[in-house]
Amino acid sequence: MFIFSVSLRTALPLLRHDTISMPYTPYQCDGLALGAMLACQWFAPEQLSDVSRKILRMLNGNAAILVWTLLFILEIWLYPIQGRRNLNTSFQMTLVTFASYRLLGMIVLKRDGRLVWLASKPLVFFGSISYGFYLYHGFILGAISRKIGPVDMTHPLVVFARLILGLGMSIAFSYASLRWVELPIRRLRRYLVSDVVPNRQPQST
């Protein structure tokens, strides 16, 4: 799925000249696939097949870092070229997705001590509401813009005040969603899945 998604969003900009909507699911499968791979490593590492182990060695090896670096250089080179917006966006998405996979692997699987600060309570809180924040912030900022009207960019304090208002409301809505929507729905999974406890328990940091 990772190869399919990266290949699709890289090939289409070369074949088409119109705008491609990158948020569509077929162009986003690489992040979902790498997230699933991380979950497999966490929940049941002993059940991974030999092929999966080989793929993991490739993803976690220095060769993958070299490819990432070359893509980063290519992305910088393509950025100022007109007419390459879709291709440039594809490279950016690949870079961010793979970097996120490696970072999460260091946090979740390797328990890298250099990243222990990521377990701080404020970051854990924002992580817990991140999905709700992703869902709601656009609607909230749009509603604020319609109610307050266009911002005079010559007054930075007005822009800052609107930003703080939008941020505060987005956090409040996201927390409410977590507490009264997401957590109750998560508790329903015990009626659908018999075993949701990972084989490896997280260590205290």
Side-chain angles (χ1 to χ4, degrees):
M1 293 304 297
F2 175 80
I3 294 173
F4 163 77
S5 188
V6 172
S7 300
L8 181 66
R9 68 168 180 252
T10 302
L12 283 185
L14 298 175
L15 300 175
R16 298 177 53 174
H17 300 289
D18 55 334
T19 301
I20 298 171
S21 184
M22 289 296 181
Y24 283 172
T25 301
Y27 306 119
Q28 299 284 343
C29 288
D30 54 331
L32 299 174
L34 291 181
M37 182 65 83
L38 277 173
C40 290
Q41 294 176 76
W42 171 251
F43 280 92
E46 70 284 350
Q47 297 182 29
L48 293 175
S49 66
D50 292 338
V51 174
S52 296
R53 296 179 193 277
K54 291 179 181 179
I55 293 174
L56 287 173
R57 283 196 292 269
M58 292 174 57
L59 290 174
N60 298 327
N62 293 329
I65 294 295
L66 176 61
V67 172
W68 186 92
T69 304
L70 293 175
L71 274 178
F72 182 72
I73 295 173
L74 183 61
E75 193 272 334
I76 294 176
W77 178 70
L78 287 175
Y79 189 81
I81 299 178
Q82 296 295 326
R84 292 294 186 183
R85 178 178 176 273
N86 286 326
L87 186 60
N88 189 59
T89 301
S90 173
F91 284 141
Q92 290 176 353
M93 292 170 65
T94 304
L95 290 169
V96 171
T97 299
F98 183 73
S100 300
Y101 165 78
R102 291 296 296 260
L103 179 62
L104 286 172
M106 294 173 66
I107 298 170
V108 176
L109 301 176
K110 296 183 179 180
R111 316 293 293 185
D112 195 311
R114 294 171 296 179
L115 301 173
V116 68
W117 55 273
L118 290 172
S120 63
K121 289 184 178 180
L123 289 180
V124 171
F125 169 76
F126 280 107
S128 69
I129 66 170
S130 60
Y131 184 67
F133 192 92
Y134 157 74
L135 287 179
Y136 304 127
H137 81 278
F139 297 104
I140 292 172
L141 292 177
I144 292 174
S145 297
R146 289 191 296 271
K147 293 295 183 180
I148 299 180
V151 173
D152 185 355
M153 298 304 291
T154 61
H155 294 83
L157 289 179
V158 176
V159 179
F160 181 74
R162 176 180 287 190
L163 176 63
I164 295 299
L165 177 62
L167 182 63
M169 291 181 63
S170 298
I171 292 174
F173 271 83
S174 301
Y175 176 73
S177 174
L178 173 68
R179 183 168 182 178
W180 289 298
V181 179
E182 297 169 41
L183 290 179
I185 291 177
R186 289 183 199 174
R187 286 193 285 269
L188 295 177
R189 67 183 179 183
R190 66 176 179 265
Y191 300 108
L192 304 174
V193 182
S194 59
D195 182 15
V196 296
V197 179
N199 294 330
R200 295 194 319 168
Q201 297 298 325
Q203 304 170 2
S204 59
T205 54

